[in-house]
Amino acid sequence: MTEPGGGATIPEFSNENRATFSSTARLDQWLGALVERGGSDLLLVAGVPACIRFEGAVQPIEQTPLTGPEIEGSVLPALTPNALRQYRDHQISDSSYRIEQLGRFRINLHRERGMAAATVRALPNQVPRLNQLQLPPSVEALSRLPRGLVLIGGPAGSGKTTTVAALVNEINHREARHIVTIEDPVEYEHPHIRSVIEQVEIGVDAPDFPTALRAALRQAPDVIVVGEMRDPETMRIAVAAAETGHLVLSTLHTTDVASTISRICDSFPPERQNTIRQELAMALSAVLTQVLLSDKRGGRIPAAELLVIGYGARQHVRRNALQHLHQEITMTKGKGSTTMEESLANLVRTGAVEREDALLFAVHPEDLVSLLKV
């Protein structure tokens, strides 16, 4: 099958090659090695051996370089029917995958340089408690908000989804609420403890985020989790849901508080941006951004920036004066706000992170230098 516009040919399940794509045995073997070694991701790229990511570093688990057909043949059988259609139509697809007695995984199958490639992430079997994540203590207050929009930003692989899952877990242990999560795919499976939790997977339970989010609003939820806000329509509905009394948690690929807010506003056409700024200013309750650093004691450890939204921050959002939000964080420390530099300085003082590494992640390096002199 050829992608419209001259893309690479993707094999069909014909009688001749059906046997090639009939088993997940090799993928299962790789994933077994991933879990055994405590890695986070399996990386399959043509021209190099299968690799895993362990504590942020990539290392091979085999010696023989892979080919595109080998990768495709190993991963295609693991895709859900909808994910397989997406890959055939668009040459990129996300899918969940489960191996009994081993665990659950998130597959991203795509193409690069005309050949198949895949990244498979191991999903934890247990939903973490918030105090296990080593985030600033004030983050726990986000799970106690009655309503509003809470945005969690950070680069890929920074633990955003884990933080959202931990916040939901806190609510689930403490309160009897109705929680609806919308994810692509579902990463953490929440048990029903005190809350009733519905988990909607895109491509399995709903066709896309906007459709699932509109449906969720008719299901009488108290809390809505939007795995990722990827498009303006999802953003618009999420903001409206927060304005109408729901607690909405969502993630974005951003670097700091200001860029998290601007990412939403800039996703809309210029003529709509002022309106969305006014709505966002009213809906926002908090913005958290985080990064993961290598811990000298082993593993990885987060640093985070949190802005608890107050009157001043709402005015800055309305006026598009986002450059003042960093100052707003320092002015609202009494409400739980904390800067990334304060979080990094604490990691340096406790011996978890080297000063030079912390400076690489600082949004305002000069502030971190000043804090470390104290």
Side-chain angles (χ1 to χ4, degrees), residues 60-350:
I61 56 173
E62 292 182 341
Q63 294 183 343
T64 305
L66 297 169
T67 66
E70 284 181 299
I71 296 169
E72 209 163 48
S74 301
V75 177
L76 280 175
L79 299 184
T80 63
N82 181 73
L84 185 59
R85 286 192 297 271
Q86 286 291 318
Y87 182 65
R88 290 243 170 99
D89 292 343
H90 304 293
Q91 302 189 357
I92 188 168
S93 182
D94 292 297
S95 181
S96 57
Y97 181 55
R98 183 193 299 271
I99 303 176
E100 294 300 328
Q101 309 303 318
L102 188 64
R104 296 175 58 249
F105 305 88
R106 182 185 69 197
I107 298 173
N108 174 266
L109 180 61
H110 55 278
R111 297 181 74 82
E112 58 91 28
R113 290 178 291 182
M115 294 175 285
T119 299
V120 188
R121 171 156 295 183
L123 303 178
N125 293 320
Q126 298 293 325
V127 184
R129 296 303 297 266
L130 200 57
N131 59 13
Q132 296 174 303
L133 303 186
Q134 303 182 74
L135 289 163
S138 54
V139 173
E140 192 273 342
L142 303 184
S143 70
R144 299 180 181 274
L145 292 169
R147 67 189 67 84
L149 178 63
V150 175
L151 298 176
I152 292 91
S158 61
K160 301 183 296 295
T161 300
T162 300
T163 297
V164 171
L167 289 169
V168 170
N169 202 19
E170 295 305 309
I171 298 170
N172 191 18
H173 276 83
R174 190 180 60 241
E175 302 174 38
R177 306 184 81 177
H178 181 202
I179 303 171
V180 177
T181 77
I182 304 168
E183 302 167 79
D184 182 19
V186 169
E187 295 203 14
Y188 288 88
E189 292 185 328
H190 292 273
H192 305 289
I193 301 176
R194 294 201 64 195
S195 293
V196 173
I197 303 181
E198 299 185 57
Q199 297 192 257
V200 177
E201 181 165 321
I202 300 303
V204 176
D205 306 306
D208 51 53
F209 276 102
T211 301
L213 190 47
R214 289 190 198 95
L217 292 174
R218 297 191 291 270
Q219 294 158 14
D222 301 298
V223 181
I224 302 172
V225 174
V226 182
E228 185 180 347
M229 292 206 286
R230 300 174 178 172
D231 59 87
E233 184 65 5
T234 300
M235 296 173 184
R236 184 190 66 78
I237 301 170
V239 170
E243 281 190 291
T244 54
H246 303 86
L247 176 60
V248 180
L249 310 175
S250 191
T251 71
L252 290 160
H253 290 288
T254 52
T255 56
D256 60 9
V257 166
S259 66
T260 301
I261 295 173
S262 65
R263 173 65 60 85
I264 293 179
C265 298
D266 293 346
S267 297
F268 289 83
E271 65 273 14
R272 284 276 296 136
Q273 290 180 6
N274 184 60
T275 300
I276 200 67
R277 274 195 291 270
Q278 309 310 309
E279 295 172 354
L280 191 58
M282 290 302 298
L284 272 174
S285 288
V287 181
L288 172 72
T289 58
Q290 61 184 73
V291 293
L292 282 180
L293 295 86
S294 294
D295 190 332
K296 292 194 298 182
R297 301 160 297 188
R300 305 174 82 190
I301 191 167
E305 177 173 87
L306 173 63
L307 172 61
V308 178
I309 303 294
Y311 175 80
R314 297 189 197 283
Q315 292 299 101
H316 294 322
V317 173
R318 285 192 184 99
R319 297 167 182 167
N320 198 27
L322 303 183
Q323 70 274 16
H324 297 305
L325 291 178
H326 180 68
Q327 182 181 3
E328 192 65 26
I329 295 174
T330 63
M331 294 174 63
T332 55
K333 289 182 183 178
K335 294 182 178 180
S337 297
T338 184
T339 67
M340 179 64 74
E341 290 67 38
E342 289 169 329
S343 182
L344 290 167
N346 184 58
L347 295 181
V348 173
R349 293 191 191 105
T350 58

